[in-house]
């Protein structure tokens, strides 16, 4: 009797062991297959493109995407922000979601808009006018008017707003507001023109890129202001001013993580950290066709390189501001335009747009049957603008 019981027990044990072995083998096979496929995906461009198209479905063709129908004359005032696309038409700002459905419509008394957005905030101002608004998600938080002519508006990810004004007795006036619409302070620039502004992510600093054209050579400056000090005494809030080499033109500034300020000149990219301005990218001896600092903790530049007698490639270089590591993405065409926002870089190649992320990987590829002339992009959604419609690409 004991022998029979032992034999049955052994049979049960053998069955369990076989099952475990089979499961282990399957897991090992799947793990090895994943490693092999992953390695091929990263190292072999043809395999990667096949997987992107047929497995990940990253390729979208014209007339297959979700669309928003447009009326005649609506194509000029379109903007992508957060997960939405907004269309301003005859003082009505209509907001659409990523499914193409109208979500809401706002009364915005602006006809020629300047847009800027960050996180869930969207700032809209009248270009050359006095009125501006802050929209939070899909609602108007507040509106305000200024004396003079608005030339630029900026909002940071926490909803703090800076407005650049010209047409007063000063060359430039910069005003700053809280997320609730309270004016914090005003800065007056007597002899320089502000070409760009940026507010740090911790709301402590305002950077102003200034240009003086009164001399025989252009002179660029970067003014760093303490927001806390400016609220108490704007005339004594300047923390530091960086003076560029004479003749060098600054065009953009953008605060990144840990209050690192990335600066874009026509011939180089620099970074200001710990009171030092250091060169990130020197464009000398390179054929740089585009560059941008409007990214999250990254800067980018596109270099054109000859690939044949009558052909050239576009090499997208993405520089991580923290590690200084550069990732590259190559397309076999000359890029006509680039659009950057957050973690997305969009390359307009004529009848094709490639959306890549700051890691250097393809996110989506859009293929059109006609020349693409205008797109809008955020880090979650893009809109391809045609005469009678917008095609939505979810990123």
């Amino acid at each position: 009797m004991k022998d029979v019981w032992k034999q049955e027990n052994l049979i049960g044990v053998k069955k369990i062991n076989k099952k475990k072995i089979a499961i282990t083998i399957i897991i090992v096979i799947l793990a090895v297959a994943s490693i092999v496929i992953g390695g091929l995906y990263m190292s072999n461009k043809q395999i990667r493109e096949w997987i992107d198209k047929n497995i990940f479905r990253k390729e979208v063709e014209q007339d297959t995407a979700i669309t928003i129908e447009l009326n005649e004359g609506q194509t000029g005032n379109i903007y992508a922000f957060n997960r939405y696309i907004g269309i301003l038409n005859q003082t009505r700002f209509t907001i659409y979601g990523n499914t193409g459905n109208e979500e809401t419509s706002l009364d915005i008394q602006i006809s020629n808009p300047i847009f800027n957005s960050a996180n869930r905030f969207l700032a809209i101002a009248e270009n050359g006018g006095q009125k501006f608004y802050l929209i939070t998600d899909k609602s108007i938080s507040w509106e305000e008017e200024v004396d003079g002519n608005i030339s630029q508006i900026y909002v940071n990810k926490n909803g703090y707003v800076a407005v650049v004004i010209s047409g007063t007795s000063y060359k430039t006036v910069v005003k700053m507001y809280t997320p609730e619409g309270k004016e914090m302070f005003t800065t007056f620039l007597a002899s320089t023109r502000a070409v760009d502004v940026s507010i740090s992510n911790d709301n402590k600093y305002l950077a102003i890129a200034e240009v003086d054209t009164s001399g025989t050579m252009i002179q660029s400056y970067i003014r760093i202001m303490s927001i806390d000090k400016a609220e108490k005494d704007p005339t004594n809030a300047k923390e530091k001013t960086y003076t560029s080499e004479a003749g060098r033109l600054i065009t953009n500034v953008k605060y990144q993580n840990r209050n690192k300020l990335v600066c874009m000149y026509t011939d180089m990219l620099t970074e200001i950290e710990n009171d030092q301005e250091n060169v990130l990218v020197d464009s000398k001896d390179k054929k740089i066709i585009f560059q941008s600092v409007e990214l999250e903790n990254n800067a980018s530049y596109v270099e054109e390189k000859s690939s044949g007698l009558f052909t050239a490639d576009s090499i997208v270089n993405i520089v991580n501001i923290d590690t200084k590591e550069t990732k590259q993405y190559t397309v076999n065409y000359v890029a006509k335009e680039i659009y950057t926002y957050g973690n997305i870089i969009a390359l307009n190649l004529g009848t094709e747009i490639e959306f890549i992320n700051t890691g250097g990987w393809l996110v989506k590829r859009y293929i059109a049957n006609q020349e693409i002339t205008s797109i809008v992009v955020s880090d979650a959604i893009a809109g391809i603008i045609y005469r009678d419609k917008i095609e939505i690409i979810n990123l």
Side-chain angles (χ1 to χ4, degrees):
M1 193 70 178
K2 287 182 181 178
D3 291 340
V4 172
W5 183 81
K6 285 180 181 178
Q7 191 173 356
E8 286 178 352
N9 240 12
L10 289 171
I11 292 168
V13 170
K14 285 178 184 177
K15 285 181 180 177
I16 292 170
N17 286 343
K18 284 180 179 178
K19 188 176 181 180
K20 284 183 177 179
I21 290 168
I23 292 170
T24 302
I25 290 170
I26 291 169
I27 291 171
V28 170
I29 290 170
L30 290 174
V32 171
S34 298
I35 292 168
V36 171
I37 292 170
L40 290 171
Y41 182 84
M42 295 179 72
S43 62
N44 190 303
K45 186 176 180 180
Q46 288 182 323
I47 291 176
R48 181 165 62 249
E49 289 188 351
W50 187 91
I51 292 173
D52 282 342
K53 180 179 178 180
N54 296 287
I55 296 178
F56 294 149
R57 303 294 181 186
K58 291 184 179 181
E59 196 167 285
V60 180
E61 294 185 358
Q62 184 177 344
D63 298 326
T64 64
I66 298 166
T67 62
I68 301 170
E69 300 300 323
L70 292 177
N71 297 323
E72 189 174 348
Q74 279 190 309
T75 58
N77 301 329
I78 300 168
Y79 190 76
F81 65 103
N82 203 357
R83 303 182 304 277
Y84 311 110
I85 288 178
I87 302 173
L88 181 62
N89 184 42
Q90 296 180 351
T91 72
R92 295 303 297 175
F93 187 61
T94 307
I95 299 173
Y96 296 85
N98 60 4
T99 59
N101 295 322
E102 180 180 328
E103 305 246 339
T104 190
S105 184
L106 306 174
D107 181 21
I108 302 289
Q109 295 298 313
I110 286 174
S111 58
N112 184 23
I114 307 170
F115 297 101
N116 189 259
S117 64
N119 197 5
R120 59 196 184 94
F121 300 100
L122 169 65
I124 308 177
E126 182 75 54
N127 188 11
Q130 291 76 46
K131 202 169 188 63
F132 63 99
Y133 295 78
L134 181 69
I135 295 171
T136 305
D137 293 321
K138 296 177 288 183
S139 302
I140 297 173
S141 294
W142 51 270
E143 60 185 87
E144 189 58 82
E145 290 190 30
V146 296
D147 294 326
N149 306 314
I150 298 172
S151 59
Q152 188 181 356
I153 191 164
Y154 178 88
V155 61
N156 82 343
K157 68 176 187 178
N158 302 311
Y160 286 81
V161 175
V163 181
V164 180
I165 306 159
S166 60
T168 69
S169 57
Y170 291 88
K171 195 85 169 180
T172 306
V173 175
V174 180
K175 288 181 175 287
M176 188 163 166
Y177 297 81
T178 67
E180 295 74 36
K182 177 187 174 185
E183 184 178 331
M184 300 174 72
F185 62 87
T186 302
T187 297
F188 302 94
L189 309 180
S191 59
T192 58
R193 181 170 59 90
V195 296
D196 199 21
V197 293
S198 184
I199 303 167
S200 63
N201 292 332
D202 61 5
N203 319 314
K204 289 184 177 180
Y205 300 101
L206 170 68
I208 306 173
E210 305 174 34
V211 174
D212 185 351
T213 58
S214 61
T216 55
M217 297 186 72
I218 289 173
Q219 184 64 64
S220 297
Y221 305 93
I222 302 165
R223 181 193 302 240
I224 309 296
M225 296 185 63
S226 165
I227 292 173
D228 288 339
K229 290 180 182 178
E231 284 192 273
K232 299 168 186 173
D233 183 6
T235 59
N236 292 304
K238 185 170 66 176
E239 290 285 298
K240 196 171 180 67
T241 297
Y242 298 85
T243 304
S244 73
E245 181 183 332
R248 178 161 286 148
L249 178 62
I250 190 164
T251 58
N252 293 89
V253 289
K254 180 70 161 59
Y255 268 111
Q256 308 280 0
N257 293 341
R258 295 196 290 276
N259 291 336
K260 295 178 179 180
L261 184 69
V262 183
C263 312
M264 188 171 88
Y265 297 84
T266 53
D267 60 350
M268 67 169 49
L269 300 176
T270 67
E271 174 198 34
I272 295 176
E273 184 184 17
N274 299 325
D275 295 332
Q276 295 290 326
E277 184 175 13
N278 301 309
V279 176
L280 276 175
V281 178
D282 191 339
S283 302
K284 189 169 64 177
D285 302 326
K286 294 177 181 173
K287 191 175 182 181
I288 305 296
I289 54 176
F290 299 106
Q291 54 184 4
S292 174
V293 297
E294 297 296 329
L295 289 165
E296 187 71 32
N297 213 37
N298 284 269
S300 68
Y301 63 97
V302 182
E303 186 177 2
E304 183 182 321
K305 284 192 174 180
S306 175
S307 58
L309 191 59
F310 301 107
T311 58
D313 295 339
S314 293
I315 315 296
V316 184
N317 296 270
I318 306 158
V319 184
N320 185 286
I321 303 305
D322 285 333
T323 65
K324 306 301 182 289
E325 179 186 1
T326 299
K327 295 184 183 298
Q328 289 189 335
Y329 183 91
T330 302
V331 291
N332 303 124
Y333 306 94
V334 176
K336 296 180 179 297
E337 291 176 293
I338 69 164
Y339 306 80
T340 57
Y341 188 95
N343 291 308
I344 295 294
I345 301 168
L347 301 167
N348 184 351
L349 306 174
T351 57
E352 189 175 302
I353 297 174
E354 298 207 356
F355 299 91
I356 64 174
N357 60 27
T358 49
W361 296 104
L362 180 71
V363 176
K364 284 285 172 67
R365 177 183 289 116
Y366 176 85
I367 299 174
N369 51 35
Q370 65 190 87
E371 193 80 7
I372 299 166
T373 58
S374 183
I375 77 168
V376 289
V377 63
S378 75
D379 50 8
I381 194 172
I384 317 301
I385 302 170
Y386 296 102
R387 181 183 55 81
D388 57 350
K389 65 180 178 180
I390 302 170
E391 295 208 346
I392 296 174
I393 310 296
N394 289 303
L395 302 175

